[in-house]
Structure formats: structure tokens, C-alpha cells
């Protein structure tokens, strides 16, 4: 069984992550650069808001503005996206960070808002990295959605029949998932592969 550190041994450059401690050793390397997940940062503020702390609405509104900007520049090239981010997203994020610093100083450490502010503070460099490079995503939502599929599948495969049955299901679902990511009809690919055997 391999963990994130072994998996990332051959990787260099930018890597999107959710600030999990399992990645700490990997990001100590100089050739691996962490891109933070603003979806995670926003989620902490949503939890604080849902628990009754209305001050978190300020951060949630800032993230909404950032995501609206991302939606508007989704179809443009990386260089233009970086210019848009510099002109529009950077000021929003700077104000968010300024607001967060003011509240972090006086917020009791056990509150949900303090946890949200702490996450933003502790991961500021990784979370704001997308602002300086139009190629980088604002979050790792694509991967998060893939993880959800794995979690659902894990529950659905609890009764695969046997260990070998589970392995066969994993292989089949990996092939189907890869085909879908590459916009290939999995049925067509499986039929063509069978013909070549």
C-alpha cells in the first residue's frame, strides 16, 4: 500500500491539496509546490455561519465573489485569466485576509470562526497561489468530486462477494472512469479491446 508521499515521489511542480497533514512531508520538498483548496477554506466559514456566527457571512460573500470571477473567466486562456485575477480577484482576497487578521486576534480559539480563520491563516500561501498563475485552479474540486465517487463505490462494494470479486470490480470501474475522463465511450472501448484479444 502506498501513501501520498510515495505517490508524489515522481511528481514535481504544482500539486493541488486540501492541507491534510498526510501531505506535509511531500511539501517539504522544494520541487513540489502546494496549491490550496479554497473550497475547503470556504467550507469552514460555512460551518461557522450555520452554527449561528453571522460574521462568517463576510468571508462567504468574498468567496462567492471570487468564484463568480472564476466562472466569468473559465473559457479564456491562462495569461488573460491571470490578468483578470490580478485586477479583480486579488483585491477581494486581500480584503478577506485583512478582515480575517482583524478577527483572528480577538476570536476565542475554540470557536468555529477561529478554526476557519486559522485555516485561512495557516494555508494563506497555498490558498492564494492561484492568483499569480492563470493555469492554477482556485480549488481541487474536480478531485474532491472524484473522491466522493470512490466513497460511494466503497459502500456499494461492501458485498462484492470476495476479495477477488472486489479486485475485478475495481479494475472494471477504473477502466470505465478513465474512459469517462477521456471522453471515450466505455462500451465502445471495451468492445474494441475484446476484438483485439
Amino acid at each position: 500500500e502506498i501513501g501520498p508521499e510515495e505517490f508524489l515521489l515522481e511528481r514535481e511542480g504544482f500539486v493541488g491539496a486540501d492541507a491534510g497533514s498526510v501531505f506535509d512531508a511531500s511539501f517539504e520538498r522544494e520541487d513540489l509546490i502546494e496549491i490550496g483548496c479554497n473550497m475547503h477554506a470556504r467550507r469552514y466559514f460555512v460551518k461557522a455561519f450555520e452554527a449561528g456566527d453571522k460574521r462568517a457571512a463576510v468571508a462567504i460573500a468574498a468567496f462567492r465573489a471570487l468564484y463568480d470571477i472564476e466562472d466569468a473567466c473559465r473559457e479564456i486562456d491562462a495569461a488573460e485569466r491571470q490578468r483578470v485575477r490580478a485586477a479583480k480577484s486579488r483585491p477581494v482576497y486581500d480584503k478577506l485576509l485583512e478582515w480575517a487578521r482583524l478577527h483572528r486576534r480577538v476570536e476565542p480559539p475554540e470557536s468555529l470562526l477561529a478554526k476557519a480563520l486559522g485555516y485561512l491563516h495557516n494555508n494563506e500561501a497555498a490558498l492564494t497561489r492561484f492568483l499569480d498563475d492563470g493555469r492554477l485552479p482556485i480549488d481541487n474540486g474536480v478531485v474532491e468530486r472524484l473522491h466522493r465517487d470512490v466513497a460511494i463505490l466503497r459502500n456499494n462494494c461492501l458485498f462484492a462477494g470476495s476479495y477477488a470479486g472486489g479486485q475485478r470490480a475495481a479494475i472494471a470501474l477504473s477502466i470505465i472512469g478513465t474512459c469517462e475522463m477521456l471522453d471515450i465511450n466505455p462500451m465502445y472501448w471495451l468492445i474494441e479491446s475484446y476484438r483485439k484479444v
Side-chain angles (χ1 to χ4, degrees), residues 35-191:
I35 308 167
C37 179
N38 282 283
M39 191 169 61
H40 277 81
R42 179 188 175 279
R43 194 174 296 151
Y44 282 102
F45 288 104
V46 169
K47 284 181 182 176
F49 183 80
E50 288 174 347
D53 196 329
K54 302 306 178 201
R55 295 172 297 169
V58 173
I60 294 168
F63 282 111
R64 168 54 36 216
L66 291 166
Y67 276 90
D68 285 347
I69 295 164
E70 289 300 301
D71 287 344
C73 65
R74 189 174 311 283
E75 301 299 324
I76 59 178
D77 66 44
E80 184 60 26
R81 185 177 303 113
Q82 200 261 320
R83 282 192 286 278
V84 171
R85 286 173 173 174
K88 295 182 177 180
S89 300
R90 173 69 71 182
V92 173
Y93 221 117
D94 286 347
K95 283 187 179 183
L96 171 62
L97 292 171
E98 183 182 333
W99 174 86
R101 285 184 196 106
L102 278 171
H103 286 278
R104 191 165 182 269
R105 285 190 218 127
V106 295
E107 190 63 24
E110 66 280 356
S111 78
L112 288 173
L113 184 62
K115 289 183 171 95
L117 295 167
Y119 185 93
L120 192 64
H121 171 76
N122 294 336
N123 300 290
E124 181 180 334
L127 289 168
T128 58
R129 202 157 269 137
F130 81 102
L131 296 169
D132 299 318
D133 191 328
R135 299 170 301 163
L136 304 180
I138 189 171
D139 61 36
N140 63 350
V142 172
V143 175
E144 289 291 318
R145 286 184 285 282
L146 291 173
H147 285 175
R148 187 182 324 122
D149 291 347
V150 171
I152 291 168
L153 176 64
R154 183 176 54 234
N155 287 338
N156 292 341
C157 289
L158 285 174
F159 305 101
S162 67
Y163 182 77
Q167 285 182 313
R168 286 190 291 276
I171 291 167
L173 292 167
S174 294
I175 290 169
I176 292 167
T178 302
C179 286
E180 287 176 356
M181 284 175 52
L182 297 173
D183 202 27
I184 296 170
N185 181 330
M187 187 62 80
Y188 175 79
W189 187 88
L190 288 166
I191 290 168

Side-chain angles (χ1 to χ4, degrees), residues 2-32:
I2 65 167
E5 192 173 354
E6 294 81 10
F7 185 79
L8 293 170
L9 275 177
E10 299 299 319
R11 177 84 173 127
E12 59 182 48
F14 296 109
V15 174
D18 60 6
S21 59
V22 296
F23 298 108
D24 289 349
S26 295
F27 289 126
E28 287 177 9
R29 294 173 27 205
E30 289 184 18
D31 63 336
L32 212 56

